[in-house]
Amino acid sequence: TITFLRGLLQERDKRAKWNGIPTLLQKLFESSHPNSDLSQAHSFLKVLSSQLSIEAMSFVTEDRKTAQESTFPNTYTFDLFGGVDLLVEILMRPTLIMQKKKPKMNDDLVKDCLSVLYNCCICTEGVTKSLASRDDFVLFLFTLMTNKKTFLQTATLIEDILGVKKEMIHLEGIPNLSGLVQSFDQQQLANFCRILSVTISEPDVGNDDKHTLLAKNAQQKRNASPSRAEVNQVTLLNIPGFIERLCKLATRQVSEATGANFLQELEDWYTWLDNALVLDALMQMATEEAEQSSTESSDESSLSTSPLRHRLPQSMKIVHEIMYKVEVLYVLCVLLMGRQRNQVHKMLAEFRLIPGLNNLFDKLIWRKYTASNHVVHGQNENCDCSPEISFKIQFLRLLQSFSDHHENKYLLLNSQELNELSAISMKANIPEVEALVNTDRSLVCDGKKGLLTRLLTVMKREPPDSSFRFWQARAVESFLRGATSYADQMFLLKRGLLEHILFCIIDSGCTSRDVLQSYFDLLGELMKFNIDAFKRFNKYVNTPEKFQAFLTQINSSLVDSNMLVRCIVLSLDRFESQTEDVKVVEVLSECCLLSYMARVENRLSFLFRLINIINVQTLTQENVSCLNTSLVILMLARRKAKLPFYLNALREKEYAEKYPGCLLNNFHNLLRFWQRHYLNKDKDSTCLENSSCIPFSYWKETVSVLLGSDRTSLCAITSYIDEPFVDLDKDLMLED
């Protein structure tokens, strides 16, 4: 019967063009029974492997879209006849045997099993999904990573599987995770970070700014307990020495990373790189290096005849190291933004991450100019750009996360620069910021410049629409965020930052909305409450044409520029109360920007538009600032007993536009949402308080007054909406 079935199978094989795969699988099955030595099975697997790898290679080299549509008959047949399940069974068999001394499988056989499974995953998404649904197999794969010889194949397969897995895995479910990680060498640890990134990042965090706040608040109510990603972050932080080793990896020099096994690593690389971008980058860098050397050398003839391949290894080493660092910085960045932020901060400071990155800045991070006109990537988006670009963006993201509202931000400076900050405070006769006094000088940057100053230098050289500008501006802005520090602002003003920003906004022809928004935000933080900054502004914007160009940029998108508008309104209010200061009086009378905002009709114009461009259904993390800026304008008006005047102006605007009740009903609904959002016990209100220097109690009080139900109150919105037009959306809010 068996002979008859074999004959039938072979006959069907010819007609169906199965290329003998079912027969080979049958032989593989028969030769892989528990007591066999598997050497024969391995020879059958090798034949199968060669047939499947051809298809996998064609997939990798084809354009992705066409590749998805083209068929891979060998892979399909292999899976159809149970090949994938058979290989999983062969791999996992040692774990199912009850004997104390488990039989050890041949490393090359394990390697080939993993390679075939990976090739199947590449060509057939269904295979990846079915493997991902088997938790026992996924956790088993991690145990294979202890073997250096099969590490890379295992890591590659795990990464593919975790990419499609519906539920995030629990890292604590991995057998002896701590021992596994401690057994890795630095190269393996870097590759492991690539896998970890999927297990510690919240899904969709990249589009965080685009999600409506209504949806996010509802989601938070449903998910009160820590997410799996947060639990996984804690698991990693509890592994002894984990963060210290990541800091060493992030900051080591390229020369430290070149071990004897470098060529072996390169041979293994082809499984790791699933696109040709990296190799293109390597070749391009080698060519540039060769050209640079030949033009710089006095003996050009000898160099130009020297073959390119002699210089290629150094370029490869650099890209290799850059790729490792991208993965490591990503993991550190995610941990810095998590719930354990303070613990992570303490460790990164202790292990001197910032001074280490400062020493790498000129040699590796910004060793040369890299063109970057691609779209600005969100935190969690897959970036298909070159390693050089990914590395720079990841580095800038890390700086942003590191200095944002944290006193460790002063570690970005060196000792001389810290002394300069102290001197600025002393000269202005103001006390030094407490965080500056508390900074441990043994952990700050060394060398002629700190990391922040180096960043400013390269920022000024970027072309107008380069998306690096966005990340650079965000990183510098995060240094200034929090309670306003005059000394920090002056430190940056002295280095020409304000003039650079104004050049970018007014004169450079920059059209990127992302870049302009980041520059507006940075300008707001740089100028807030700083009379010297407004004086410098007036010196640069010295013609009506320049001022008009500046206003046009602001007005072109208030969602992007409203933080700057808020800064000008707040600064004007403070300066108007300092009329005993001669310098302030002089700048108030001369500065075109302050004069413009002092005119009540201009403030009202901003207020109308800020309320008009948002409603509760469209509020996001990105545009909720428009609501807070409109509130700042009204809080300052309330302090001067001018609130009725502003509310009446809103009412008159509605009637002039022939939409009675439209603006005010919308604003009423927005403020009701504001109460639900900001008075939530989990919400941190210190940001609003620090950035405005208005106590949060006054924010709450003002919103309550505006939402008052007494129609005779001159400070309640409802008093300004005629009865027929009252249209407050009662069902708007989600019930508690």
Side-chain angles (χ1 to χ4, degrees), residues 162 212 253 256 350 375 495 569 591 716:
L162 293 186
T212 69
Q253 303 284 347
E256 296 170 46
E350 184 189 339
V375 181
R495 284 158 176 79
V569 170
C591 178

Side-chain angles (χ1 to χ4, degrees), residues 489-515:
Q489 290 172 324
M490 291 310 296
F491 179 83
L492 295 170
L493 285 169
K494 281 173 143 186
R495 284 158 176 79
L497 181 60
L498 182 123
E499 290 77 9
H500 164 70
I501 297 170
L502 291 174
F503 172 79
C504 179
I505 294 171
I506 301 170
D507 300 311
S508 74
C510 174
T511 54
S512 160
R513 292 262 43 109
D514 288 310
V515 172

